[in-house]
Amino acid sequence: FLGFAKSMEDLKYTEPLREFCKSADVFVIPDDISKKSLMKSLFVNLFSIFPYIAQKYYTRDMRLKVREILQNNRIDIVHLDMLHMARYRHDIPQIPTVMIEHNVESLRLKRLALNSSNPVLKAFLYLQYMKLFAFEKKECSRFDLCAPVSAYDMDCLKKMSPGANLRVVPNGVD
């Protein structure tokens, strides 16, 4: 298991995972450490081709850990949970990959932009929406399977990324 936590304190929740997983490594998200760090990252992202969520969760420590695990273990399939982890697909050579799309993330951001009354925030969110739409469109087709959680999301993703292999995998609790 590899994942992220919002704070050093949240790392304690990793321990129960070790009972079920061969290994469990969790990294603190750098932008969540301080408001100053977040503001710097948001500013730098204005000049990036990547949407903020793709930048925020793509860290050197995680890339190194992904490569280490893949080099030292026989892995049959890699499951990336959510679009913000999609950039790691490039670090996973010749192993089948599945990405779960809990939402069509670009549509969520578009709705936020349309409903924002703050003109500066509206402009920033719309820029992020455009970056995220392009990213989501491209990344969905790079996975062996992209699994949205609803038929509606699958229809949206089919229109957005016609080359993607999509299968609905509903989530929830019975």
Short mmCIF file of all heavy atoms in Angstrom, two decimals, residues 2-7 10 26-33 38 41-42 45 48 50-66 80-89 91 105 108 128 132 135:
data_model
loop_
_atom_site.label_atom_id
_atom_site.label_comp_id
_atom_site.label_asym_id
_atom_site.label_seq_id
_atom_site.Cartn_x
_atom_site.Cartn_y
_atom_site.Cartn_z
N LEU A 2 0.57 2.18 -0.86
CA LEU A 2 1.22 3.48 -0.88
C LEU A 2 0.14 4.55 -0.86
O LEU A 2 -0.87 4.41 -1.54
CB LEU A 2 2.07 3.67 -2.15
CG LEU A 2 3.31 2.82 -2.27
CD1 LEU A 2 3.94 3.01 -3.65
CD2 LEU A 2 4.31 3.17 -1.18
N GLY A 3 0.36 5.59 -0.09
CA GLY A 3 -0.65 6.64 -0.04
C GLY A 3 -0.11 7.91 0.58
O GLY A 3 1.08 8.03 0.87
N PHE A 4 -1.02 8.85 0.78
CA PHE A 4 -0.68 10.15 1.34
C PHE A 4 -1.52 10.44 2.57
O PHE A 4 -2.64 9.96 2.69
CB PHE A 4 -0.93 11.26 0.31
CG PHE A 4 0.08 11.28 -0.80
CD1 PHE A 4 -0.21 10.75 -2.03
CD2 PHE A 4 1.34 11.85 -0.59
CE1 PHE A 4 0.72 10.77 -3.06
CE2 PHE A 4 2.27 11.87 -1.61
CZ PHE A 4 1.96 11.33 -2.84
N ALA A 5 -0.94 11.26 3.45
CA ALA A 5 -1.64 11.75 4.64
C ALA A 5 -1.53 13.27 4.66
O ALA A 5 -0.61 13.84 4.08
CB ALA A 5 -1.00 11.17 5.91
N LYS A 6 -2.48 13.90 5.33
CA LYS A 6 -2.49 15.36 5.39
C LYS A 6 -1.51 15.92 6.43
O LYS A 6 -1.12 17.07 6.34
CB LYS A 6 -3.90 15.88 5.68
CG LYS A 6 -4.84 15.73 4.50
CD LYS A 6 -6.14 16.45 4.77
CE LYS A 6 -7.03 16.43 3.59
NZ LYS A 6 -6.70 17.42 2.59
N SER A 7 -1.15 15.10 7.41
CA SER A 7 -0.25 15.61 8.46
C SER A 7 0.56 14.46 9.04
O SER A 7 0.23 13.29 8.85
CB SER A 7 -1.07 16.26 9.58
OG SER A 7 -1.79 15.27 10.30
N ASP A 10 -1.50 12.19 11.16
CA ASP A 10 -2.33 11.21 10.44
C ASP A 10 -1.58 9.94 10.07
O ASP A 10 -2.20 8.93 9.72
CB ASP A 10 -2.93 11.82 9.17
CG ASP A 10 -4.01 12.84 9.47
OD1 ASP A 10 -4.50 12.87 10.62
OD2 ASP A 10 -4.37 13.60 8.55
N VAL A 26 3.21 5.66 3.76
CA VAL A 26 2.36 6.84 3.60
C VAL A 26 3.23 8.07 3.76
O VAL A 26 4.05 8.15 4.67
CB VAL A 26 1.20 6.83 4.63
CG1 VAL A 26 0.34 8.07 4.47
CG2 VAL A 26 0.36 5.57 4.47
N PHE A 27 3.04 9.02 2.85
CA PHE A 27 3.83 10.24 2.83
C PHE A 27 2.93 11.44 3.13
O PHE A 27 1.78 11.46 2.71
CB PHE A 27 4.48 10.43 1.45
CG PHE A 27 5.39 9.29 1.08
CD1 PHE A 27 4.91 8.21 0.35
CD2 PHE A 27 6.71 9.29 1.47
CE1 PHE A 27 5.74 7.15 0.02
CE2 PHE A 27 7.55 8.23 1.15
CZ PHE A 27 7.06 7.16 0.42
N VAL A 28 3.49 12.41 3.83
CA VAL A 28 2.75 13.63 4.10
C VAL A 28 2.75 14.48 2.84
O VAL A 28 3.78 14.64 2.18
CB VAL A 28 3.37 14.41 5.28
CG1 VAL A 28 2.67 15.74 5.49
CG2 VAL A 28 3.30 13.57 6.55
N ILE A 29 1.60 15.03 2.50
CA ILE A 29 1.46 15.89 1.33
C ILE A 29 2.18 17.20 1.62
O ILE A 29 1.80 17.91 2.57
CB ILE A 29 -0.03 16.15 1.02
CG1 ILE A 29 -0.79 14.84 0.83
CG2 ILE A 29 -0.17 17.04 -0.22
CD1 ILE A 29 -2.29 14.99 0.89
N PRO A 30 3.20 17.54 0.84
CA PRO A 30 3.98 18.75 1.14
C PRO A 30 3.15 20.02 1.23
O PRO A 30 3.39 20.87 2.09
CB PRO A 30 4.97 18.83 -0.03
CG PRO A 30 5.08 17.43 -0.54
CD PRO A 30 3.73 16.80 -0.30
N ASP A 31 2.15 20.17 0.38
CA ASP A 31 1.37 21.41 0.36
C ASP A 31 0.46 21.56 1.56
O ASP A 31 -0.05 22.65 1.82
CB ASP A 31 0.52 21.49 -0.91
CG ASP A 31 1.37 21.69 -2.14
OD1 ASP A 31 2.61 21.82 -2.00
OD2 ASP A 31 0.81 21.71 -3.25
N ASP A 32 0.23 20.49 2.29
CA ASP A 32 -0.66 20.56 3.45
C ASP A 32 0.09 20.87 4.75
O ASP A 32 -0.52 20.95 5.80
CB ASP A 32 -1.43 19.24 3.59
CG ASP A 32 -2.50 19.08 2.52
OD1 ASP A 32 -2.79 20.06 1.82
OD2 ASP A 32 -3.02 17.97 2.37
N ILE A 33 1.39 21.06 4.65
CA ILE A 33 2.18 21.34 5.85
C ILE A 33 1.94 22.75 6.36
O ILE A 33 1.83 22.98 7.55
CB ILE A 33 3.68 21.09 5.57
CG1 ILE A 33 3.91 19.59 5.33
CG2 ILE A 33 4.55 21.59 6.70
CD1 ILE A 33 5.30 19.23 4.86
N LEU A 38 1.36 25.97 0.59
CA LEU A 38 0.22 25.85 -0.32
C LEU A 38 0.18 27.02 -1.29
O LEU A 38 0.02 26.82 -2.51
CB LEU A 38 -1.07 25.77 0.48
CG LEU A 38 -2.37 25.82 -0.34
CD1 LEU A 38 -2.47 24.64 -1.29
CD2 LEU A 38 -3.58 25.87 0.58
N SER A 41 2.86 26.77 -3.92
CA SER A 41 2.54 25.71 -4.89
C SER A 41 1.45 26.15 -5.86
O SER A 41 1.53 25.85 -7.05
CB SER A 41 2.07 24.47 -4.14
OG SER A 41 2.86 23.39 -4.43
N LEU A 42 0.43 26.82 -5.35
CA LEU A 42 -0.65 27.29 -6.22
C LEU A 42 -0.11 28.31 -7.23
O LEU A 42 -0.49 28.29 -8.41
CB LEU A 42 -1.78 27.90 -5.40
CG LEU A 42 -2.62 26.91 -4.59
CD1 LEU A 42 -3.56 27.66 -3.65
CD2 LEU A 42 -3.39 25.97 -5.49
N ASN A 45 1.99 26.57 -9.84
CA ASN A 45 1.13 25.80 -10.73
C ASN A 45 0.54 26.63 -11.85
O ASN A 45 0.19 26.10 -12.90
CB ASN A 45 0.02 25.10 -9.95
CG ASN A 45 -0.84 24.26 -10.86
OD1 ASN A 45 -1.92 24.68 -11.26
ND2 ASN A 45 -0.33 23.09 -11.22
N SER A 48 2.41 25.76 -14.89
CA SER A 48 2.55 24.33 -15.19
C SER A 48 1.47 23.87 -16.17
O SER A 48 0.36 24.40 -16.17
CB SER A 48 2.41 23.52 -13.89
OG SER A 48 2.36 22.14 -14.16
N PHE A 50 0.29 20.93 -15.88
CA PHE A 50 -0.49 20.00 -15.08
C PHE A 50 -1.49 20.72 -14.20
O PHE A 50 -1.20 21.81 -13.69
CB PHE A 50 0.43 19.15 -14.19
CG PHE A 50 1.29 18.20 -14.96
CD1 PHE A 50 2.64 18.45 -15.10
CD2 PHE A 50 0.75 17.08 -15.56
CE1 PHE A 50 3.45 17.59 -15.83
CE2 PHE A 50 1.54 16.21 -16.28
CZ PHE A 50 2.91 16.47 -16.43
N PRO A 51 -2.64 20.11 -13.97
CA PRO A 51 -3.56 20.68 -12.99
C PRO A 51 -2.94 20.55 -11.60
O PRO A 51 -2.08 19.69 -11.37
CB PRO A 51 -4.82 19.82 -13.13
CG PRO A 51 -4.34 18.52 -13.68
CD PRO A 51 -3.15 18.86 -14.54
N TYR A 52 -3.40 21.38 -10.70
CA TYR A 52 -2.83 21.40 -9.36
C TYR A 52 -2.85 20.03 -8.68
O TYR A 52 -1.86 19.63 -8.08
CB TYR A 52 -3.56 22.45 -8.49
CG TYR A 52 -3.10 22.42 -7.07
CD1 TYR A 52 -1.81 22.82 -6.74
CD2 TYR A 52 -3.92 21.97 -6.06
CE1 TYR A 52 -1.35 22.77 -5.44
CE2 TYR A 52 -3.48 21.92 -4.75
CZ TYR A 52 -2.20 22.32 -4.46
OH TYR A 52 -1.75 22.25 -3.16
N ILE A 53 -3.95 19.28 -8.78
CA ILE A 53 -4.00 17.99 -8.09
C ILE A 53 -2.96 17.01 -8.63
O ILE A 53 -2.46 16.17 -7.89
CB ILE A 53 -5.40 17.34 -8.10
CG1 ILE A 53 -5.84 16.97 -9.49
CG2 ILE A 53 -6.41 18.18 -7.36
CD1 ILE A 53 -6.95 15.94 -9.54
N ALA A 54 -2.62 17.12 -9.91
CA ALA A 54 -1.60 16.24 -10.49
C ALA A 54 -0.20 16.64 -10.03
O ALA A 54 0.69 15.81 -9.95
CB ALA A 54 -1.69 16.25 -12.01
N GLN A 55 -0.03 17.90 -9.75
CA GLN A 55 1.25 18.40 -9.23
C GLN A 55 1.39 18.09 -7.74
O GLN A 55 2.43 17.63 -7.28
CB GLN A 55 1.32 19.91 -9.45
CG GLN A 55 2.50 20.61 -8.80
CD GLN A 55 2.35 22.11 -8.91
OE1 GLN A 55 2.26 22.65 -9.99
NE2 GLN A 55 2.34 22.79 -7.76
N LYS A 56 0.33 18.33 -7.00
CA LYS A 56 0.34 18.20 -5.55
C LYS A 56 0.71 16.78 -5.09
O LYS A 56 1.45 16.61 -4.13
CB LYS A 56 -1.04 18.57 -5.00
CG LYS A 56 -1.21 18.41 -3.51
CD LYS A 56 -2.62 18.80 -3.07
CE LYS A 56 -2.82 18.61 -1.60
NZ LYS A 56 -4.13 19.08 -1.15
N TYR A 57 0.19 15.79 -5.78
CA TYR A 57 0.38 14.41 -5.33
C TYR A 57 1.51 13.67 -6.04
O TYR A 57 1.70 12.49 -5.81
CB TYR A 57 -0.92 13.63 -5.50
CG TYR A 57 -1.99 14.07 -4.54
CD1 TYR A 57 -2.94 15.01 -4.91
CD2 TYR A 57 -2.04 13.56 -3.25
CE1 TYR A 57 -3.92 15.43 -4.02
CE2 TYR A 57 -3.01 13.96 -2.35
CZ TYR A 57 -3.94 14.90 -2.75
OH TYR A 57 -4.90 15.31 -1.86
N TYR A 58 2.25 14.34 -6.90
CA TYR A 58 3.36 13.69 -7.60
C TYR A 58 4.65 14.14 -6.95
O TYR A 58 5.18 15.20 -7.27
CB TYR A 58 3.32 14.04 -9.09
CG TYR A 58 4.20 13.16 -9.94
CD1 TYR A 58 3.96 11.80 -10.07
CD2 TYR A 58 5.28 13.70 -10.62
CE1 TYR A 58 4.76 11.00 -10.86
CE2 TYR A 58 6.08 12.91 -11.42
CZ TYR A 58 5.83 11.56 -11.54
OH TYR A 58 6.63 10.78 -12.33
N THR A 59 5.15 13.33 -6.02
CA THR A 59 6.32 13.72 -5.24
C THR A 59 7.50 12.81 -5.52
O THR A 59 7.35 11.65 -5.92
CB THR A 59 6.01 13.68 -3.73
OG1 THR A 59 5.82 12.31 -3.33
CG2 THR A 59 4.78 14.51 -3.38
N ARG A 60 8.66 13.34 -5.28
CA ARG A 60 9.90 12.58 -5.48
C ARG A 60 9.93 11.34 -4.59
O ARG A 60 10.27 10.25 -5.03
CB ARG A 60 11.09 13.49 -5.18
CG ARG A 60 12.42 12.82 -5.35
CD ARG A 60 13.57 13.78 -4.99
NE ARG A 60 14.85 13.16 -5.15
CZ ARG A 60 15.43 12.36 -4.26
NH1 ARG A 60 14.82 12.11 -3.12
NH2 ARG A 60 16.61 11.83 -4.48
N ASP A 61 9.58 11.51 -3.31
CA ASP A 61 9.61 10.37 -2.38
C ASP A 61 8.68 9.25 -2.84
O ASP A 61 9.04 8.07 -2.77
CB ASP A 61 9.23 10.82 -0.97
CG ASP A 61 10.31 11.68 -0.32
OD1 ASP A 61 11.47 11.66 -0.79
OD2 ASP A 61 10.00 12.37 0.66
N MET A 62 7.50 9.61 -3.29
CA MET A 62 6.56 8.59 -3.75
C MET A 62 7.08 7.91 -5.02
O MET A 62 6.99 6.69 -5.14
CB MET A 62 5.18 9.19 -3.98
CG MET A 62 4.14 8.18 -4.45
SD MET A 62 3.71 6.91 -3.23
CE MET A 62 2.37 7.71 -2.41
N ARG A 63 7.61 8.68 -5.96
CA ARG A 63 8.15 8.08 -7.19
C ARG A 63 9.25 7.08 -6.86
O ARG A 63 9.29 5.98 -7.41
CB ARG A 63 8.72 9.16 -8.12
CG ARG A 63 7.67 9.95 -8.85
CD ARG A 63 8.27 10.79 -9.98
NE ARG A 63 9.47 11.51 -9.65
CZ ARG A 63 9.52 12.76 -9.16
NH1 ARG A 63 8.41 13.43 -8.95
NH2 ARG A 63 10.67 13.34 -8.90
N LEU A 64 10.15 7.45 -5.95
CA LEU A 64 11.23 6.55 -5.57
C LEU A 64 10.69 5.27 -4.92
O LEU A 64 11.17 4.17 -5.18
CB LEU A 64 12.21 7.26 -4.64
CG LEU A 64 13.03 8.38 -5.27
CD1 LEU A 64 13.85 9.11 -4.20
CD2 LEU A 64 13.92 7.85 -6.38
N LYS A 65 9.68 5.42 -4.09
CA LYS A 65 9.09 4.26 -3.41
C LYS A 65 8.39 3.35 -4.43
O LYS A 65 8.50 2.12 -4.36
CB LYS A 65 8.13 4.70 -2.32
CG LYS A 65 7.57 3.55 -1.49
CD LYS A 65 8.64 2.62 -0.96
CE LYS A 65 9.13 2.96 0.40
NZ LYS A 65 10.01 1.89 0.97
N VAL A 66 7.66 3.94 -5.37
CA VAL A 66 7.00 3.15 -6.42
C VAL A 66 8.05 2.33 -7.18
O VAL A 66 7.90 1.12 -7.37
CB VAL A 66 6.20 4.06 -7.39
CG1 VAL A 66 5.81 3.31 -8.66
CG2 VAL A 66 4.98 4.63 -6.69
N LEU A 80 -4.48 2.28 -8.99
CA LEU A 80 -4.34 3.68 -8.56
C LEU A 80 -5.73 4.20 -8.27
O LEU A 80 -6.60 4.16 -9.13
CB LEU A 80 -3.65 4.51 -9.64
CG LEU A 80 -2.17 4.14 -9.79
CD1 LEU A 80 -1.96 3.32 -11.03
CD2 LEU A 80 -1.33 5.38 -9.80
N ASP A 81 -5.90 4.68 -7.07
CA ASP A 81 -7.22 5.11 -6.63
C ASP A 81 -7.33 6.62 -6.79
O ASP A 81 -6.77 7.36 -6.00
CB ASP A 81 -7.44 4.70 -5.18
CG ASP A 81 -8.89 4.75 -4.78
OD1 ASP A 81 -9.71 4.15 -5.49
OD2 ASP A 81 -9.20 5.40 -3.78
N MET A 82 -8.01 7.05 -7.80
CA MET A 82 -8.31 8.45 -8.08
C MET A 82 -7.33 9.07 -9.07
O MET A 82 -6.15 8.73 -9.12
CB MET A 82 -8.40 9.28 -6.81
CG MET A 82 -9.51 8.77 -5.88
SD MET A 82 -9.67 9.68 -4.36
CE MET A 82 -10.41 11.19 -4.94
N LEU A 83 -7.84 10.02 -9.80
CA LEU A 83 -7.11 10.68 -10.87
C LEU A 83 -5.84 11.37 -10.39
O LEU A 83 -4.85 11.42 -11.12
CB LEU A 83 -8.04 11.70 -11.56
CG LEU A 83 -7.45 12.49 -12.71
CD1 LEU A 83 -7.12 11.57 -13.88
CD2 LEU A 83 -8.41 13.58 -13.14
N HIS A 84 -5.84 11.90 -9.19
CA HIS A 84 -4.66 12.64 -8.73
C HIS A 84 -3.41 11.76 -8.64
O HIS A 84 -2.30 12.26 -8.58
CB HIS A 84 -4.91 13.38 -7.41
CG HIS A 84 -5.25 12.50 -6.26
ND1 HIS A 84 -6.54 12.17 -5.94
CD2 HIS A 84 -4.47 11.89 -5.36
CE1 HIS A 84 -6.54 11.39 -4.87
NE2 HIS A 84 -5.29 11.21 -4.50
N MET A 85 -3.57 10.45 -8.70
CA MET A 85 -2.43 9.53 -8.68
C MET A 85 -1.99 9.10 -10.08
O MET A 85 -1.03 8.35 -10.24
CB MET A 85 -2.78 8.30 -7.84
CG MET A 85 -3.17 8.61 -6.41
SD MET A 85 -1.85 9.39 -5.47
CE MET A 85 -0.85 7.97 -5.10
N ALA A 86 -2.67 9.56 -11.10
CA ALA A 86 -2.47 9.07 -12.47
C ALA A 86 -1.06 9.30 -13.01
O ALA A 86 -0.59 8.51 -13.84
CB ALA A 86 -3.49 9.70 -13.42
N ARG A 87 -0.37 10.32 -12.58
CA ARG A 87 0.98 10.56 -13.11
C ARG A 87 1.93 9.42 -12.78
O ARG A 87 2.93 9.21 -13.48
CB ARG A 87 1.54 11.88 -12.59
CG ARG A 87 0.90 13.07 -13.27
CD ARG A 87 1.47 14.38 -12.82
NE ARG A 87 2.85 14.57 -13.25
CZ ARG A 87 3.63 15.55 -12.80
NH1 ARG A 87 3.17 16.40 -11.90
NH2 ARG A 87 4.87 15.66 -13.22
N TYR A 88 1.64 8.66 -11.75
CA TYR A 88 2.51 7.53 -11.41
C TYR A 88 2.42 6.41 -12.44
O TYR A 88 3.26 5.52 -12.46
CB TYR A 88 2.20 7.01 -9.99
CG TYR A 88 2.57 8.02 -8.95
CD1 TYR A 88 1.60 8.79 -8.33
CD2 TYR A 88 3.90 8.24 -8.61
CE1 TYR A 88 1.93 9.74 -7.39
CE2 TYR A 88 4.25 9.20 -7.66
CZ TYR A 88 3.26 9.94 -7.06
OH TYR A 88 3.60 10.90 -6.14
N ARG A 89 1.42 6.47 -13.30
CA ARG A 89 1.30 5.47 -14.37
C ARG A 89 2.58 5.42 -15.19
O ARG A 89 3.01 4.37 -15.65
CB ARG A 89 0.08 5.80 -15.26
CG ARG A 89 -0.04 4.93 -16.50
CD ARG A 89 -0.29 3.47 -16.09
NE ARG A 89 -0.29 2.56 -17.20
CZ ARG A 89 0.77 1.84 -17.59
NH1 ARG A 89 1.93 1.96 -16.98
NH2 ARG A 89 0.67 1.00 -18.59
N ASP A 91 5.52 5.69 -14.18
CA ASP A 91 6.57 5.01 -13.43
C ASP A 91 6.33 3.51 -13.33
O ASP A 91 7.07 2.81 -12.63
CB ASP A 91 6.66 5.61 -12.02
CG ASP A 91 7.02 7.09 -12.04
OD1 ASP A 91 8.09 7.43 -12.59
OD2 ASP A 91 6.23 7.90 -11.53
N GLU A 105 -13.49 14.31 -12.31
CA GLU A 105 -12.93 15.42 -11.53
C GLU A 105 -13.02 16.76 -12.25
O GLU A 105 -13.27 17.78 -11.62
CB GLU A 105 -11.48 15.12 -11.14
CG GLU A 105 -11.33 13.94 -10.20
CD GLU A 105 -12.02 14.12 -8.86
OE1 GLU A 105 -12.16 15.27 -8.39
OE2 GLU A 105 -12.42 13.11 -8.27
N ARG A 108 -16.43 18.33 -11.76
CA ARG A 108 -16.59 18.90 -10.42
C ARG A 108 -15.97 20.29 -10.34
O ARG A 108 -16.56 21.22 -9.78
CB ARG A 108 -15.94 17.99 -9.36
CG ARG A 108 -16.65 16.66 -9.18
CD ARG A 108 -16.00 15.79 -8.14
NE ARG A 108 -16.12 16.42 -6.83
CZ ARG A 108 -15.14 16.44 -5.93
NH1 ARG A 108 -14.01 15.85 -6.16
NH2 ARG A 108 -15.31 17.02 -4.76
N GLN A 128 -7.86 25.87 -13.82
CA GLN A 128 -7.64 24.52 -13.32
C GLN A 128 -8.55 23.52 -14.04
O GLN A 128 -8.14 22.41 -14.35
CB GLN A 128 -7.87 24.46 -11.81
CG GLN A 128 -6.76 25.10 -11.01
CD GLN A 128 -5.42 24.45 -11.24
OE1 GLN A 128 -5.27 23.23 -11.14
NE2 GLN A 128 -4.42 25.25 -11.57
N LEU A 132 -7.27 20.35 -15.98
CA LEU A 132 -7.74 19.06 -15.48
C LEU A 132 -8.49 18.28 -16.56
O LEU A 132 -8.34 17.07 -16.67
CB LEU A 132 -8.61 19.26 -14.24
CG LEU A 132 -8.98 18.02 -13.45
CD1 LEU A 132 -7.76 17.20 -13.06
CD2 LEU A 132 -9.77 18.41 -12.22
N PHE A 135 -5.89 16.81 -18.84
CA PHE A 135 -5.18 15.77 -18.12
C PHE A 135 -6.04 14.51 -17.98
O PHE A 135 -5.60 13.40 -18.27
CB PHE A 135 -4.77 16.30 -16.74
CG PHE A 135 -4.02 15.34 -15.88
CD1 PHE A 135 -2.69 15.06 -16.12
CD2 PHE A 135 -4.64 14.72 -14.79
CE1 PHE A 135 -1.99 14.18 -15.32
CE2 PHE A 135 -3.94 13.84 -13.98
CZ PHE A 135 -2.61 13.57 -14.25
#
